[in-house]
Amino acid sequence: MTQSIAIVTGAAGDIGAAIAARLADDHDIVLLADIDAEAAAAVALKLGPGNRFVAVQCDVTSETSIAELARRAADVGVVRTPGQQCRCCPRHQPARHDARDLAGGRCA
């Protein structure tokens, strides 16, 4: 079974951690992305046991880092983007994207 994933950037901060906690209600796994990997890991431990919250080092100003985040997400499951327009076709509003497609800017 494919797992749904939420990605939270800036997850090591208070707002990011609160968003991650809320998104866990709707997703199987929450990737906690932050430039400070240790702080993101601490938030993951605080939010819950096991691998439900996964800390990932990510610099959102780096395309390479974002692409790696998308690859990590694709290894785990499907990123849901309800209500968001995809970058590749303005008339299409997909309910789900494979993270590999998000990294490449293509619809799933």
Side-chain angles (χ1 to χ4, degrees):
M1 182 174 151
T2 303
Q3 300 185 85
S4 70
I5 301 170
I7 299 173
V8 179
T9 59
D14 291 338
I15 294 171
I19 291 168
R22 169 55 189 89
L23 289 174
D25 293 340
D26 299 324
H27 300 278
D28 300 312
I29 296 173
V30 180
L31 293 184
L32 306 173
D34 201 278
I35 197 163
D36 185 342
E38 289 182 21
V43 170
L45 288 173
K46 178 181 171 186
L47 289 177
N51 60 357
R52 185 103 195 274
F53 297 93
V54 179
V56 178
Q57 194 282 330
C58 182
D59 177 358
V60 297
T61 66
S62 163
E63 286 186 36
T64 303
S65 189
I66 293 293
E68 179 59 28
L69 175 63
R71 280 190 288 280
R72 294 274 311 267
D75 289 342
V76 179
V78 173
V79 179
R80 294 183 185 183
T81 58
Q84 295 179 350
Q85 279 189 295
C86 51
R87 298 178 296 172
C88 52
C89 56
R91 290 172 283 147
H92 182 192
Q93 292 188 336
R96 290 177 171 232
H97 272 289
D98 180 282
R100 287 184 186 91
D101 294 326
L102 287 174
R106 298 179 306 275
C107 287

